[in-house]
Amino acid sequence: MNQPAQQKQTILVVDDTPANIGVLVDFLEENQLRVLVAQDGEEALERSRLMQPDLVLLDVMMPGIDGLETCRRLKQDSSTAQIPVIFMTALTDSDSVVAAFDAGGVDYVTKPIQIAEVLARIQTHLALRAMHSQLEVQNRLLQQANDRLLQAEKMASIGQLAAGVAHEINNPIGFVNSNMGTLQTYVATLFGVIDTYEQAAVAAPEVAARIAALKAAAEVDFIREDVDALMSESRDGLLRVKEIVQSLKDFSHVESSGFGPADLHRGIDSTLNIVGNEIKYKAQVVKQYGDLPMVMCAAPQLNQVFMNLLINAAHAIAVMGVITIRTGWAGQWVWIEISDTGSGMQPDTLQRIFEPFYTTKPVGTGTGLGLSVSYGIVKRHGGRIDVHSELGKGSRFTVHLPVDPGARDAGMPSALPAHPAEGALP
């Protein structure tokens, strides 16, 4: 089987007398290098910005902008600053050599040119540049892996904390709930005693008058009516606390460290309970759930994705708006869509939202890791996140997930299924 041809590396040779370097150009091309030629500094700057050569071979003595100034301008331009520059010069004194390095050159060759030496120096610096690029890529990968690890540890700690808090709250809630029932029985008994006293005092007008005066002063009739409402409100409050505790347990899932079948609707609902206080003053939440099967996943990780998307949706809304959550199922794939009526995003922002540390929020209010971590979680589940945004209208994030990541290759469609809302924001 034929291997694909390796792309030739490009060398820009800058000399005001091309005839002087004709042999060099031919030699470089014979050694599988692509050669561009510029005759002065201005042309060299323009060609470097346009063609992005892998290395510049630059004459020092040229009319107009000389080689040293040309190199300085290349290094000042962010689009060309990383291109290595080798000077060609007949000046060999120490001051000239130092000036060449100060201008940003990585090496120099003396005239008359020794073409074998030039080729060796070019290959050396091309190899160094390739290694530098590889190191940058590896550093980025290591940084991203470290960020994911730190975020995973953070979420694990939060999950353990949430589970611990839920456990600690659950016990006193049980006591209070039990005592509320007993208290209601006691109050009913006391009112029964008061009614019995009142009935017994009918035969003694003076006692009856005294009891009536005491009841009026103590507002017993009002208390009798209000205590039922107070008890009902207290029970509703306890029920709400129990729901929050259950949501904390569902959100943390500390007992489930790996993949397992999960109800995504339950995960979304528990996440809504957790972030409800952040959302309720910014948006009305509309849920349009479809039928979803149990999905093989790491539920706590997906809950983190839902949390990030919901909080971002709330932050995108300046005044009271709407956050809509839709879900659906097609074949071996499910989708979860979270859309908002917020400010939307510029196209250049849209292209960078999944980059680690990229954020449009003010300094100190966002880490820029939420969407990057969410992207990584969904990718590790074998899915993807689609984004559609219109400036001034809002954004829509759609998470596509396989029902069973372990079996997705067997039935994976060539294109993931679209859902009914694809195309327009609500």
Side-chain angles (χ1 to χ4, degrees):
M1 182 176 178
N2 294 332
Q3 296 293 326
Q6 186 175 3
Q7 186 175 358
K8 291 182 178 181
Q9 292 177 295
T10 301
I11 310 300
L12 174 61
V13 180
V14 187
D15 194 297
D16 59 322
T17 312
N20 295 343
I21 53 171
V23 175
L24 174 62
V25 170
D26 292 340
F27 183 72
L28 294 178
E29 289 180 338
E30 288 173 4
N31 281 272
Q32 305 304 308
L33 293 169
R34 180 187 178 207
V35 181
L36 304 173
V37 176
Q39 297 188 31
D40 56 46
E42 290 286 0
E43 186 180 1
L45 292 170
E46 184 177 351
R47 287 207 161 199
S48 295
R49 284 190 291 265
L50 182 63
M51 304 302 296
Q52 291 292 306
D54 297 291
L55 184 141
V56 175
L57 202 55
L58 180 60
D59 189 19
V60 172
M61 303 299 291
M62 295 186 298
I65 303 176
D66 66 14
L68 297 177
E69 180 60 24
T70 301
C71 185
R72 292 189 194 98
R73 295 190 187 185
L74 284 171
K75 299 304 172 182
Q76 290 168 0
D77 188 332
S78 60
S79 67
T80 57
Q82 300 303 316
I83 301 173
V85 175
I86 297 177
F87 283 107
M88 299 181 294
T89 179
L91 304 174
T92 58
D93 59 282
S94 296
D95 290 342
S96 298
V97 172
V98 170
F101 284 115
D102 286 344
V106 296
D107 206 344
Y108 72 96
V109 292
T110 58
K111 292 183 177 180
I113 297 295
Q114 301 294 321
I115 56 175
E117 177 189 352
V118 173
L119 178 62
R121 292 180 184 271
I122 287 174
Q123 289 175 335
T124 296
H125 287 288
L126 288 177
L128 286 172
R129 190 185 189 205
M131 286 189 288
H132 180 71
S133 298
Q134 285 181 332
L135 282 174
E136 286 185 335
V137 170
Q138 292 299 321
N139 284 338
R140 283 197 298 270
L141 292 174
L142 285 171
Q143 183 64 52
Q144 291 174 13
N146 184 59
D147 295 338
R148 285 197 297 269
L149 180 60
L150 290 175
Q151 190 72 8
E153 291 176 350
K154 177 182 175 183
M155 289 306 296
S157 298
I158 291 173
Q160 291 172 353
L161 176 63
V165 169
H167 177 73
E168 292 300 322
I169 292 176
N170 227 14
N171 289 334
I173 284 177
F175 301 150
V176 174
N177 200 37
S178 175
N179 291 343
M180 285 290 293
T182 304
L183 180 61
Q184 193 162 19
T185 301
Y186 288 168
V187 170
T189 300
L190 287 174
F191 280 126
V193 170
I194 292 172
D195 291 341
T196 301
Y197 282 157
E198 195 172 18
Q199 291 170 5
V202 171
E206 291 184 4
V207 175
R210 179 63 177 161
I211 290 175
L214 289 172
K215 283 183 62 179
E219 298 183 327
V220 171
D221 291 338
F222 170 76
I223 292 174
R224 188 192 298 270
E225 294 177 1
D226 195 42
V227 74
D228 287 337
L230 290 175
M231 297 295 285
S232 177
E233 289 174 3
S234 297
R235 287 185 181 278
D236 288 344
L238 282 172
L239 181 62
R240 174 61 180 153
V241 173
K242 287 180 69 176
E243 289 175 350
I244 292 173
V245 168
Q246 187 59 49
S247 294
L248 280 170
K249 289 182 176 180
D250 293 342
F251 182 81
S252 61
H253 275 286
V254 292
E255 74 283 355
S256 173
S257 58
F259 275 58
D263 180 349
L264 296 188
H265 287 157
R266 183 175 178 180
I268 295 170
D269 290 340
S270 67
T271 305
L272 279 170
N273 277 332
I274 299 298
V275 301
N277 193 61
E278 187 142 5
I279 293 177
K280 66 182 180 181
Y281 301 111
K282 302 292 290 291
Q284 173 193 2
V285 177
V286 177
K287 293 190 285 188
Q288 298 177 1
Y289 290 172
D291 293 328
L292 290 186
M294 298 293 282
V295 174
M296 290 295 295
C297 63
Q301 294 183 21
L302 290 184
N303 289 344
Q304 184 184 353
V305 173
F306 302 146
M307 180 179 69
N308 289 337
L309 295 180
L310 287 166
I311 289 176
N312 282 353
H315 288 175
I317 297 172
V319 294
M320 198 66 182
V322 177
I323 295 174
T324 304
I325 307 171
R326 299 185 178 94
T327 63
W329 174 24
Q332 296 301 308
W333 293 84
V334 298
W335 52 264
I336 304 95
E337 174 199 287
I338 296 176
S339 60
D340 63 71
T341 56
S343 56
M345 291 178 278
Q346 298 275 8
D348 56 341
T349 299
L350 201 58
Q351 293 176 2
R352 299 188 60 193
I353 55 173
F354 294 118
E355 293 180 12
F357 304 110
Y358 178 77
T359 179
T360 58
K361 297 175 184 177
V363 175
T365 61
T367 63
L369 284 173
L371 286 178
S372 173
V373 168
S374 298
Y375 177 85
I377 290 172
V378 173
K379 187 175 181 181
R380 288 194 295 276
H381 279 74
R384 75 162 193 251
I385 302 180
D386 291 339
V387 188
H388 177 73
S389 186
E390 293 183 34
L391 200 60
K393 293 186 177 181
S395 301
R396 181 179 68 236
F397 287 78
T398 308
V399 178
H400 297 268
L401 294 167
V403 175
D404 183 356
R408 69 182 185 276
D409 291 337
M412 185 175 182
S414 57
L416 296 185
H419 52 78
E422 198 75 53
L425 288 168

